[in-house]
Each structure stands twice: as structure tokens, then as C-alpha cells.
Amino acid sequence: MWEFQYGQEAYDRKLNAILFLKKGWMILLAAILGAILFGSVYFIRFVLFAPKPEYKTQSMLYVDFVEGEDGPQYYTFNAAGWSGFVKTDIILDYALSYRAEMGKESTLFSKEELRESVSAGTDADYRIVDLYVTNTDPAIALEMAEAMEQAFILFAGDMRECEQIRVMTK
């Protein structure tokens, strides 16, 4: 019985190239259709249904504590303390009252919008507070940041533990 030895046959490059050219349009068509399919999925996901960009401001506030008989009396707030404190009605009311005193538009943002947009924390030095405001409109984010900075400055006058709060960076 005769057996064909596939491994010992010579490779015919010309025949292989002709067969590839004959069926090459299928490979090209598959590549184009794949690019269209995955490109359209990417476009729909990341362009059409993309979320609005968020703008974030950062301010650094320095807290001067009151000098006691034994030197400065430091009161420590950790990052979670500042994060919760900055969302309280006391601070938010100071921010909104500052805007009213300055004669700025009161309908630009509400107390709840301000509460959702603002956060605060501290890293190593508990006297330095990082204040963050995030919003989809950069002008509103800046207005909120200014109002919150002034709220901290005004609130420092009412705190007996704190002498003043200064804005280090905006």
C-alpha cells in the first residue's frame, strides 16, 4: 500500500502565494469588519455615553491653635474627622452666608450640592487641612472652593481652640 509522506514534500511558495491572494480578501474583510465593530463599541461607550468631566480644586488651610500657658494647645483631627466636619451644616451655612454677604448669586449652587462636592482631609501635619471641591463645572468648583475657604476663616473666629485659619494655597 502506498503512503503519502506529508513531512517530506517540498514547500511550493508560488502555489501558497496564489492561494493566499485568492482568499486574502476574506482576511482583509475580517480585519475591516473587526475594526468597525470594536471601534463602534469603543465610540459608543467612551464618547457617546461618557460621563461629564469633573474638575477638582485643592486648597491647603493652616490652622493656628490658641496659645496656652504651657505653649500651643493642639487639638488633633484626623482625616475622617475633617472629612465629616466639612460637611456639617455649620460650615456650609458659613459658606452660603459669605456668598450672600458678597452679593454673589445664591442660585449658583445649593447647600446639598455643596455638601456633595466638598471633602477634606489631612496628611501628616494635623494643622494643615487639605480642602477639595469637585464639580462638573470649573467655574462653580472655584466659587465653591472660595466659599468654603472663607467659611473656615469665619468659623475660626467662633472656635475657642483655634486662633485663626489661613489659606496657604489655592
Side-chain angles (χ1 to χ4, degrees):
M1 183 166 147
W2 179 75
E3 289 186 23
F4 186 72
Q5 300 289 330
Y6 288 101
Q8 295 178 358
E9 281 294 312
Y11 176 68
D12 190 359
R13 284 180 289 193
K14 288 182 183 177
L15 178 62
N16 199 17
I18 290 170
L19 291 175
F20 179 76
L21 289 176
K22 201 174 187 183
K23 300 288 183 178
W25 65 272
M26 289 180 166
I27 295 171
L28 184 62
L29 180 66
I32 291 172
L33 289 176
I36 290 172
L37 175 71
F38 290 111
S40 62
V41 168
Y42 178 85
F43 179 78
I44 289 170
R45 167 65 178 93
F46 292 107
V47 176
L48 291 180
F49 296 116
K52 289 183 178 179
E54 289 192 339
Y55 300 94
K56 188 173 191 174
T57 66
Q58 178 184 7
S59 302
M60 289 177 61
L61 308 171
Y62 186 82
V63 181
D64 284 327
F65 291 101
V66 173
E67 290 279 336
E69 297 155 2
D70 302 330
Q73 303 295 314
Y74 295 118
Y75 299 91
T76 61
F77 290 103
N78 59 9
W82 282 111
S83 181
F85 178 67
V86 77
K87 294 176 184 275
T88 60
D89 285 337
I90 298 167
I91 294 293
L92 298 177
D93 288 338
Y94 273 109
L96 294 176
S97 67
Y98 166 75
R99 288 189 51 79
E101 287 175 16
M102 297 304 292
K104 296 190 177 181
E105 185 179 338
S106 61
T107 60
L108 193 60
F109 53 85
S110 68
K111 184 190 282 190
E112 289 308 314
E113 290 172 332
L114 187 59
R115 188 184 317 266
E116 292 171 7
S117 298
V118 71
S119 63
T122 183
D123 289 328
D125 190 354
Y126 51 85
R127 294 172 294 178
I128 296 175
V129 180
D130 295 318
L131 178 67
Y132 303 101
V133 177
T134 306
N135 199 293
T136 55
D137 185 358
I140 293 176
L142 289 173
E143 288 288 332
M144 287 180 172
E146 179 188 355
M148 289 303 294
E149 290 166 0
Q150 294 302 319
F152 270 93
I153 291 170
L154 294 172
F155 183 68
D158 293 346
M159 288 178 61
R160 61 184 166 96
E161 299 90 2
C162 180
E163 198 170 290
Q164 68 175 346
I165 296 178
R166 296 176 292 179
V167 178
M168 292 174 58
T169 61
K170 290 186 177 195

